[in-house]
Amino acid sequence: MSSSSSQASVTRHLTTTGAVALAVATAATLATAPASAAPRPVQDPQGFIVSPARTQISFTYSPTGFVAGTRNQHEARPGLSIVKLYIADYVFKHGTPADKARAAEMIRTSNDAIASQLYRKYPQSISATARAYGLRNTHSNAHWGYARTSSYDSMKFVEAKKRRNYNDPVLVAMRQATPRAADGYAQDYGTAVLPGAVGTKWGWSDDRRSVHASVTYGRDFTVSANTWGTKHALTNDVRGAFRGTMGAPGRPAPARPLTPAQQAATNWANDMERAALNAPGSSVNERAIRDARRGLDPWIMRLP
């Protein structure tokens, strides 16, 4: 659970050929999936998911390919234990039977020791998985715990796995996750609280306060989130970002727009945070940046 721009990509429009292929693939790969409702994202007038800037969220509705996210969904943030999915995917494809069993255990219990063992043996696993799935905001490191990824990349990865094979070993391990991780931390927060959740992978910083993340899939959706803060902050922000269920495929939820002052302040804060995180020595300053955002976000929401 060790810890280590913003792009306005909100919806994806499919070509006629792509839409036909998507419909066929979805029908085939999800045939054995249990029925479930898909949560409906709350979007602003520009189509972005509404959430405090401390949190990034990415969502896709599988039947149509509709995608929505927060303005910062492409930020490369601490990957935490979410990157164990990328390690496991590589091991399931290239590892020994014993290592494959360890990879499944690593996902179910978020076992750090297993992650370190597998990453030492397969140091190319994160970067190779990122290339294979086009995860542009995912970056490996000498130690897996310092790798980075985004909510968009983890959502994209899990959704791709689901479309190809609902019973992929990565997905099976996610839906067999234990109530508590190997280190005793409860695996019960974030995107896992949404209706229709089937399988989840969680991540958290060593201090269990600074950063939390999760990625969840259901029959008709995949959603990922990462927050600078506690697991309660992540859960609250995720709950606030969804309202009801997807009754009309691909149609945005009724907007809950920010006021002009809130929108201007949010845009400015995102720009400042992105510049600070990309500056030399940003890894040293991340805690100060997070602390500043925790104080700034509530102030923005109180603006007229």
Side-chain angles (χ1 to χ4, degrees):
M1 286 45 99
S2 301
S3 62
S4 60
S5 263
S6 173
Q7 292 176 266
S9 173
V10 182
T11 60
R12 180 175 61 213
H13 297 285
L14 301 173
T15 61
T16 301
T17 301
V20 173
L22 173 63
V24 173
T26 300
T29 59
L30 301 185
T32 60
S36 67
R40 177 187 289 273
V42 177
Q43 297 169 263
D44 66 19
Q46 289 74 46
F48 294 102
I49 292 179
V50 177
S51 181
R54 67 187 177 189
T55 297
Q56 60 174 190
I57 300 172
S58 299
F59 168 86
T60 186
Y61 184 55
S62 305
T64 64
F66 166 77
V67 173
T70 51
R71 291 178 181 273
N72 57 1
Q73 68 170 335
H74 293 281
E75 266 180 20
R77 293 189 173 193
L80 310 173
S81 289
I82 301 300
V83 302
K84 290 173 181 173
L85 297 175
Y86 307 154
I87 297 172
D89 187 60
Y90 187 89
V91 173
F92 285 136
K93 293 175 179 175
H94 306 285
T96 65
D99 287 341
K100 292 177 183 179
R102 294 188 187 97
E105 173 73 6
M106 174 181 67
I107 294 176
R108 288 194 300 270
T109 67
S110 201
N111 190 298
D112 283 358
I114 294 177
S116 296
Q117 293 166 5
L118 293 178
Y119 197 59
R120 279 196 298 269
K121 188 171 182 178
Y122 305 96
Q124 71 277 38
S125 54
I126 294 176
S127 57
T129 300
R131 287 193 302 272
Y133 291 87
L135 311 181
R136 298 181 180 180
N137 314 121
T138 297
H139 310 287
S140 61
N141 193 282
H143 186 276
W144 66 268
Y146 292 95
R148 301 178 78 83
T149 193
S150 66
S151 63
Y152 181 84
D153 277 5
S154 55
M155 176 274 289
K156 180 180 180 181
F157 169 78
V158 172
E159 179 68 9
K161 302 300 292 179
K162 191 178 72 173
R163 290 189 182 284
R164 294 177 187 180
N165 177 14
Y166 188 79
N167 290 314
D168 183 279
V170 168
L171 303 182
V172 171
M174 289 175 67
R175 59 182 181 255
Q176 293 177 346
T178 56
R180 291 192 174 274
D183 69 354
Y185 202 54
Q187 301 193 122
D188 60 355
Y189 59 86
T191 52
V193 306
L194 292 173
V198 173
T200 300
K201 181 70 193 82
W202 296 264
W204 54 95
S205 54
D206 284 342
D207 64 7
R208 301 184 177 184
R209 294 189 304 275
S210 299
V211 197
H212 283 76
S214 64
V215 57
T216 294
Y217 70 90
R219 180 188 184 277
D220 289 340
F221 72 96
T222 299
V223 58
S224 181
N226 179 302
T227 197
W228 299 112
T230 66
K231 68 177 186 178
H232 304 294
L234 178 62
T235 300
N236 289 339
D237 289 354
V238 166
R239 281 187 168 133
F242 293 87
R243 182 188 304 150
T245 56
M246 294 287 287
R251 186 178 302 166
R256 186 176 63 188
L258 301 178
T259 67
Q262 289 173 335
Q263 190 64 70
T266 296
N267 292 345
W268 172 82
N270 286 341
D271 290 342
M272 294 296 291
E273 181 179 18
R274 184 165 59 252
L277 288 171
N278 290 333
S282 63
S283 60
V284 177
N285 297 322
E286 281 180 2
R287 182 180 296 277
I289 295 168
R290 292 195 298 271
D291 290 343
R293 287 313 298 257
R294 292 193 193 106
L296 183 61
D297 290 336
W299 174 79
I300 289 175
M301 298 312 293
R302 289 196 298 270
L303 288 173

